Amino acid sequence: MSDMKHPAPEELVSWVYGEAIGRAKRELQAHVNECAACRAQVDLWRATTDVLEDLPAPVARRRWTPVSAPLQRAAAAALFVALGIVLGRFAFSTDEAKLRAALQAQMQEQIATAKEQIAREFQQRHDESVGQIAAAAEAQMALSNQKLAEEFTLALQQARAADRADYLGALRELGAKHDAEVAALKKGIETVVALADYGFEATEQRFAQLAAQTAPTE
Amino acid sequence: MVSSLFSRLPSLLTVTDEQAMWRVKMDDDPQAFARLVQRWQGPIQRLCIKMLGDAHRAEDLTQEAFTRVFARRKDYEPAGRFSTFLWRIALNLCYDELRKIKRRGESSLEGNADERGEIEFVADIAGPDLQVVREERAEHVRRALLQVSEPYRVVVILRHYEGLKFREIGEVLDIPEGTVKSRMVEALNQLSRLLKPLMNDE
């Protein structure tokens, strides 16, 4: 028995809840019949699920609305009629059948009226309830739409501000680049001027030297 | 009124949840929405009560769940099951509520029945002593369920109390079926320990 390969607990739980099918179901059934350890596990789970059944369907008390007005009237009418019947038994025993028939007709009429009122009230409350849910949902949607619109506007403004900052940054960069190029050009021109000055001076000196060397010695 | 109800009965019986939700999505059909509310408010309220252990909050969340269904009707994909769409919304609300409770440092286990939101259990024909015993057992089970951590608790509630298949639970929670089964195993093991005293009582 100890060499027996046990099914995974997940397979066992699936079998306990009747979800194993076909061959798997037959094999699990056979295994549980043979294996004491798995049978004990299954029995424990089944005992647990049996206890879980001790929690019945709850009925919330808060929602119990007071008995509706038509129902109260119907109950009062029924009580009054019943009282009438009882008293009538003592007071008018000879006309009991007649009185009872009259009272029954009256009672049935009142009950029928009350039933209609209850049905109307129920329908009205039902319609109101559905209307309220729909209205609440619409309000929530409107709120979420407004919120979305606000978020969208904010995002748009942020995007515009970011674009403006980018544009200004690019302009500044371009200006700085332009300034640098102007400065470099100026420096270049100054160098050329300096070189030209130097060139003129050198040429002048050479002419002077040349003139001194070529002067006639008489 | 009765005759009009009967005249509408055949069409009500033939409309599936998905068709009703499609009408809500496309036409804002109030009758179709009312039908969905009527059919599903019980299961959703049961789920919320078992997740939170509080009947008052569960009622509020149930209303909130249907409000969200209506508000998000345009998001509903007809290829998916309506129930999956609804369970997800309700569960997300439960998770949000549990987070709020944790932040406030409250415990849904605390307080007596009146403070927590009265839960009245359907009485049957039994003597008062037996009724008291049953209510005590129910309270013990309720507390045990709340002690199981949320990922495991939700699987037990959907599988055991609401009868969803493991595959369907996987779709609702967006996790693989194998993971659902693993969580069920862990949940049952935890509950076995917590409910041991009640097993011995039987």
Side-chain angles (χ1 to χ4, degrees):
Chain A
M1 190 66 79
S2 59
D3 295 337
M4 189 180 286
K5 189 176 181 298
H6 299 286
E10 288 78 9
E11 291 175 78
L12 270 184
V13 86
S14 180
W15 179 71
V16 166
Y17 274 94
E19 288 198 30
I21 50 168
R23 190 178 165 187
K25 182 181 175 181
R26 288 192 296 277
E27 285 177 358
L28 284 162
Q29 174 75 64
H31 179 86
V32 170
N33 286 342
E34 286 178 21
C35 174
C38 288
R39 196 162 53 247
Q41 177 65 81
V42 166
D43 287 345
L44 181 62
W45 284 345
R46 283 191 171 143
T48 306
T49 56
D50 284 347
V51 176
L52 286 177
E53 292 301 316
D54 285 345
L55 187 61
V59 178
R61 197 184 272 171
R62 187 178 64 163
R63 275 293 166 82
W64 284 13
T65 50
V67 178
S68 64
L71 202 61
Q72 282 175 349
R73 283 197 289 277
L79 194 66
F80 177 74
V81 170
L83 197 63
I85 291 171
V86 172
L87 288 174
R89 271 181 184 276
F90 294 104
F92 308 102
S93 56
T94 50
D95 287 329
E96 185 183 339
K98 198 176 170 184
L99 184 64
R100 184 184 291 172
L103 287 173
Q104 271 180 348
Q106 191 186 352
M107 186 168 71
Q108 279 170 354
E109 192 185 335
Q110 284 180 339
I111 288 173
T113 312
K115 265 186 184 172
E116 279 177 17
Q117 283 177 334
I118 290 167
R120 270 200 302 276
E121 191 179 327
F122 175 78
Q123 185 65 36
Q124 192 184 347
R125 284 190 184 184
H126 177 264
D127 292 347
E128 279 172 7
S129 166
V130 170
Q132 279 169 358
I133 289 176
E138 288 291 354
Q140 190 171 329
M141 274 197 72
L143 198 66
S144 66
N145 283 344
Q146 191 188 346
K147 203 174 164 190
L148 272 176
E150 283 169 4
E151 282 172 4
F152 178 72
T153 310
L154 190 67
L156 205 62
Q157 284 171 349
Q158 284 172 348
R160 274 185 186 165
D163 283 350
R164 205 161 42 236
D166 287 350
Y167 183 66
L168 285 172
L171 273 180
R172 278 197 207 99
E173 200 178 324
L174 207 62
K177 200 174 167 187
H178 181 256
D179 290 347
E181 280 175 359
V182 168
L185 198 61
K186 196 176 165 189
K187 201 173 174 184
I189 289 168
E190 283 170 354
T191 309
V192 168
V193 169
L195 283 174
D197 285 348
Y198 176 75
F200 284 140
E201 282 175 14
T203 308
E204 208 175 342
Q205 279 177 7
R206 276 197 206 116
F207 277 136
Q209 283 173 359
L210 200 61
Q213 283 172 4
T214 55
T217 50
E218 287 179 5
Chain B
M1 185 200 162
V2 174
S3 61
S4 69
L5 189 66
F6 274 107
S7 68
R8 284 201 312 241
L9 204 55
S11 63
L12 286 175
L13 288 174
T14 53
V15 175
T16 64
D17 290 337
E18 286 71 26
Q19 288 168 335
M21 190 58 207
W22 179 253
R23 288 182 189 175
V24 174
K25 174 176 177 167
M26 300 311 289
D27 307 325
D28 297 348
D29 184 342
Q31 280 190 335
F33 185 64
R35 181 188 180 280
L36 291 171
V37 173
Q38 193 179 11
R39 173 157 182 196
W40 282 98
Q41 67 181 356
I44 295 300
Q45 195 168 339
R46 286 199 301 268
L47 169 78
C48 295
I49 286 177
K50 290 188 175 78
M51 282 301 286
L52 305 173
D54 183 324
H56 288 174
R57 281 182 177 137
E59 280 182 15
D60 295 340
L61 286 195
T62 304
Q63 283 194 351
E64 177 67 18
F66 285 105
T67 304
R68 282 203 187 177
V69 166
F70 195 81
R72 295 183 186 173
R73 61 194 181 281
K74 303 294 178 194
D75 298 340
Y76 172 69
E77 293 295 333
R81 294 175 60 165
F82 169 74
S83 57
T84 306
F85 180 69
L86 179 60
W87 287 123
R88 278 184 185 165
I89 286 177
L91 275 174
N92 284 332
L93 284 168
C94 286
Y95 292 144
D96 289 346
E97 186 64 24
L98 286 167
R99 271 194 290 273
K100 281 184 207 164
I101 292 172
K102 270 184 195 166
R103 269 203 302 273
R104 289 196 297 257
E106 288 177 34
S107 165
S108 6
L109 294 171
E110 287 170 358
N112 59 31
D114 282 329
E115 287 165 353
R116 282 197 309 269
E118 183 69 40
I119 298 174
E120 173 151 315
F121 296 99
V122 180
D124 52 14
I125 304 167
D129 292 345
L130 189 55
Q131 190 59 32
V132 168
V133 170
R134 283 181 182 172
E135 284 178 7
E136 280 175 359
R137 288 177 70 86
E139 179 63 14
H140 194 119
V141 174
R142 189 188 73 83
R143 282 173 177 266
L145 264 179
L146 289 174
Q147 284 179 57
V148 176
S149 55
E150 289 160 29
Y152 305 112
R153 194 192 317 158
V154 67
V155 172
V156 174
I157 293 169
L158 291 178
R159 174 61 261 203
H160 187 82
Y161 290 105
E162 297 305 325
L164 269 71
K165 303 281 183 200
F166 289 120
R167 176 184 51 75
E168 293 169 329
I169 298 173
E171 286 170 10
V172 171
L173 301 178
D174 204 18
I175 54 175
E177 187 179 342
T179 309
V180 178
K181 289 179 185 171
S182 301
R183 290 187 187 179
M184 188 71 190
V185 168
E186 178 56 28
L188 284 178
N189 288 340
Q190 287 185 24
L191 285 167
S192 299
R193 287 192 292 276
L194 293 164
L195 298 174
K196 197 93 180 167
L198 297 190
M199 291 180 211
N200 296 335
D201 279 359
E202 285 179 334

